[in-house]
Structures are given as C-alpha cells and as structure tokens.
Amino acid sequence: FWLRSLCLVPPMSSQMFVSAVLFFGALGSFMQGHATWINPEMALQTLSYSGRAAVEVSEAATMALLPHLGCLHVVAGALQAIGAVTFRPREQALLLLVMSIYTASGIWHHWEMYKLAGMQVPGWLASAGEFYMPIKVMIASSVINVVGLIVAVFAVREEMSSKAKKH
C-alpha cells in the first residue's frame, strides 16, 4: 500500500504492478536488441572515428558480437513479455532478480571501462554522452527491477498466505 501511495498510481494489485514492470522492461530490451541486432550500424555510431575503424577492421563486432548482444536483448525482452502475461508471482520474482543482476553487471562493466581509461570516459567513444547515458538508463532500470522484485516478493507472500488459509 505505501509503495502505491508514494508513486501516486491508481490502486492495482501487486501482480499487475510486477507485470507492468516486466512489460516496460521488455520494451526497453526490444529497443536495445533492435539497435544491436537488426541495425548494428546504429550501435557503431556511438564510437569515435578511430574506435569505429578498429571495430570495422576486425569485423568481429559487426558480424558476431553486436548481433549476438542484440539477440540476447530480444530474448530477454521476450522472456519479460511472456513473464508479464503468464508467469506466477514466484517466477516473476525470479525473472526480476535475473534482470536486476544483468543490469547491475552492465553498470559494473561500465565502471571497469571507466577505471581502465584512467577514471575518465573511454576515448574510443564518440562523446561523453555515449558513456553516461547507458549508465543512467541501467541505473534507472536496476531501480525499477528491484522495486518490482520487492513487490513480487510481497505478491508471493500474499499468494502463500492465501493458500495457507484455504488449507
């Protein structure tokens, strides 16, 4: 109740809230997947000229790594979309835990890149915004996933207590 009143959203069940978190997470994953799988050229535009030239010479990123990462995002989006509609609270909580770990690992990866570049934005990116914007999105996504996870845990508790009352 306190979470819903703080967010100023209309009353909804915990299950509906968690499903909404998963659904919007799926949209974000699909958009990221499109940018790297279907249109890897779009992702390459975030690199500086020299960084892009190095990636294009090897062709590993454009032919394998970016499409593979994009496919991973599309699969994650599909799981979240399916989870929003068909999963029970326990499975939704598990999926949100996995997505929280995934986004946290992305934040960690960017932190490691930052440290490797001497505590500054890596020089192979086209601009500082290309570094900071994904971090902001991942932090927001992590917060949303964790809030969804907390609500999902409460939904699991509600489900377990209602089952206990029936027996």
Side-chain angles (χ1 to χ4, degrees), residues 1 4-5 27 30 34 41 44 50 60 71 79 114 121 131 142 144 159:
F1 172 76
R4 283 184 244 141
S5 62
L27 288 177
F30 285 137
H34 176 268
E41 187 66 26
L44 289 175
S50 61
C71 183
L79 280 173
Y114 188 74
V121 174
F131 183 75
S142 293
I144 291 167
E159 185 180 62

Side-chain angles (χ1 to χ4, degrees), residues 141-157:
S141 180
S142 293
V143 168
I144 291 167
N145 283 333
V146 168
V147 169
L149 177 60
I150 291 167
V151 173
V153 167
F154 284 121
V156 169
R157 289 180 59 201

Side-chain angles (χ1 to χ4, degrees), residues 51-126:
R52 184 177 178 156
V55 168
E56 288 175 338
V57 166
S58 73
E59 293 188 6
T62 55
M63 299 305 292
L65 296 177
L66 286 175
H68 181 70
L69 178 62
C71 183
L72 175 67
H73 282 294
V74 170
V75 169
L79 280 173
Q80 290 177 78
I82 291 167
V85 177
T86 63
F87 288 0
R88 298 180 56 99
R90 184 172 295 186
E91 291 83 11
Q92 287 181 330
L94 180 62
L95 182 56
L96 284 166
L97 176 64
V98 168
M99 294 310 299
S100 298
I101 293 168
Y102 177 72
T103 54
S105 73
I107 295 167
W108 175 259
H109 171 70
H110 278 73
W111 171 248
E112 289 297 314
M113 285 192 301
Y114 188 74
K115 285 188 344 189
L116 214 75
M119 301 303 277
Q120 60 187 3
V121 174
W124 44 267
L125 289 171

